[in-house]
Amino acid sequence: MDIRHFTCINCPMGCPLSVTIDENGQVIDVKGNTCPKGYVYGQSEAVHPTRIVTSVVPVLHGDLLMVSCKTSQAVPKEKMFDVIQALKLVQVEAPVHIGDVLIDNVANTNVSIVATKEVQRT
């Protein structure tokens, strides 16, 4: 048996979690959470951690030089650097609207990169 320790990031409380994993890699217990979200986070973080990636990309002919963006959903933690590398190759043309897909299926994750800010054309 293995016990892993995490700090829950689902809310500002930052509960200290202890997750017990059996010999087969299955979560058998989560302790320390004060809400159900912490329990689910502990299970996920122990066996398949994911993260939302946020960044900015350059905008051509826009009233701003960069537009903020993020993954449309969490990606596997081990794919984060692949996502960041893909973002380095992107430039978008203004106008850009919140929710516009800037990259579809980034780094073969089946997740899109979407704009999180409006940029008008100059």
Side-chain angles (χ1 to χ4, degrees), residues 111-122:
V111 174
S112 299
I113 298 290
V114 295
T116 59
K117 185 166 182 70
E118 297 279 329
V119 180
Q120 303 304 316
R121 188 166 180 85
T122 55

Side-chain angles (χ1 to χ4, degrees), residues 11-120:
C11 79
M13 296 231 356
C15 295
L17 305 178
S18 296
V19 181
T20 305
I21 301 169
D22 69 12
E23 301 79 26
N24 298 320
Q26 301 296 314
V27 174
I28 58 172
D29 192 27
V30 177
K31 291 183 179 170
N33 57 298
T34 57
C35 72
K37 288 182 181 182
Y39 186 86
V40 172
Y41 174 79
Q43 288 181 313
S44 173
E45 187 67 11
V47 295
H48 187 68
T50 61
R51 298 291 185 271
I52 296 287
V53 177
T54 61
S55 189
V56 293
V57 296
V59 178
L60 301 172
H61 309 109
D63 62 346
L64 298 172
L65 297 175
M66 306 289 269
V67 64
S68 58
C69 59
K70 69 179 192 92
T71 52
S72 59
Q73 56 188 324
V75 296
K77 191 173 176 183
E78 67 271 10
K79 286 286 206 168
M80 284 178 55
F81 291 109
D82 295 335
V83 170
I84 292 166
Q85 288 301 317
L87 283 164
K88 289 181 180 182
L89 305 175
V90 175
Q91 280 187 327
V92 296
E93 183 85 25
V96 180
H97 304 287
I98 294 173
D100 283 357
V101 174
L102 308 180
I103 306 174
D104 192 33
N105 190 25
V106 64
N108 295 316
T109 59
N110 292 320
V111 174
S112 299
I113 298 290
V114 295
T116 59
K117 185 166 182 70
E118 297 279 329
V119 180
Q120 303 304 316

